[in-house]
Amino acid sequence: METKTKDVKKVTRVLYSKEQIAEAVKRVGAEITRDYAGKKPLFIGVLKGSFVFMADLIREVDLPCRTDFMSAKSYGEGTVSSGFVRIVKDIDEVVEGRDVIVVEDILDTANTLSNVCEILHSRNPASLKICTFLDKEVDRKILLTPDYFCFRVENEFVVGYGLDYAEKFRNLPYLGVLDDA
Ligand code: IMP
Ligand code: MG
């Protein structure tokens, strides 16, 4: 029987081009700039997937701001989330009294973000909002929606612009869909 490995996966379709992404990030940056006028938001990126989006986003926000990163891992491997999340790298910034914007690559089951937000909430921020590059159209058991997002995507596996499949494809400047081989 023929065996197919992760290494043969290829991007077969471009969902959003580099130019379309830049335009959407600019729009979200402008929304945040407007909504946080007079404030100094603290952007907290969830590693690793958010780093490309975060880098572009903060350059579209015309406000004094601070940035930090945390890393949360879902127990289990592969493309299905297990439901349990542990913080493997915490932030250094103080959250208390800050206007926090959590930045993620994609909201799928919302397991990761619901856990991360619960932890951040317990540190008494002045406000806490969620900004994701993508919002996946799934029936979520956890009722969580992003306050800001660039694109809504169907329930298929996407890569590029920071999003990976087995740690590959993060460096694609566009968002693509993999073949289902
Ligand atoms: P959630 O906890 O199910 O919301 O998923 C969170 C994480 O799963 C994201 O931060 C991604 O790292 C990963 N993920 C979910 N869907 C995709 C996808 O379509 N492509 C790449 N990574 C994904
Ligand atoms: Mg990932």
Side-chain angles (χ1 to χ4, degrees), residues 14-126:
V14 175
L15 278 184
Y16 292 105
S17 68
K18 188 178 172 178
E19 291 73 24
Q20 286 171 308
I21 292 173
E23 200 179 305
V25 175
K26 204 179 173 93
R27 170 184 52 79
V28 170
E31 283 170 22
I32 292 174
T33 302
R34 185 196 61 211
D35 294 352
Y36 287 78
K39 295 180 177 164
K40 297 174 186 170
L42 167 61
F43 290 90
I44 300 180
V46 183
L47 292 170
K48 298 177 199 172
S50 71
F51 80 101
V52 177
F53 176 44
M54 176 92 151
D56 284 345
L57 178 69
I58 58 165
R59 285 177 287 174
E60 297 295 346
V61 173
D62 188 14
L63 295 169
C65 66
R66 295 179 77 106
T67 54
D68 207 341
F69 287 94
M70 70 196 292
S71 182
K73 283 244 177 318
S74 172
Y75 288 100
E77 291 288 315
T79 57
V80 180
S81 208
S82 66
F84 298 101
V85 165
R86 74 195 151 96
I87 302 295
V88 290
K89 183 219 168 284
D90 205 343
I91 51 166
D92 302 311
E93 292 280 335
V94 171
V95 161
E96 184 157 6
R98 309 297 307 273
D99 292 299
V100 174
I101 302 174
V102 182
V103 181
E104 240 298 36
D105 53 357
I106 185 166
L107 191 65
D108 185 4
T109 65
N111 273 324
T112 313
L113 274 184
S114 62
N115 281 275
V116 164
C117 287
E118 203 177 299
I119 292 162
L120 293 174
H121 254 306
S122 71
R123 300 179 188 174
N124 301 315

Side-chain angles (χ1 to χ4, degrees), residues 11 18 21 52 159-163 168-178:
V11 173
K18 188 178 172 178
I21 292 173
V52 177
V159 294
Y161 199 67
L163 290 108
K168 294 190 192 79
F169 307 109
R170 290 194 201 275
N171 58 329
L172 297 179
Y174 53 85
L175 188 75
V177 180
L178 292 179

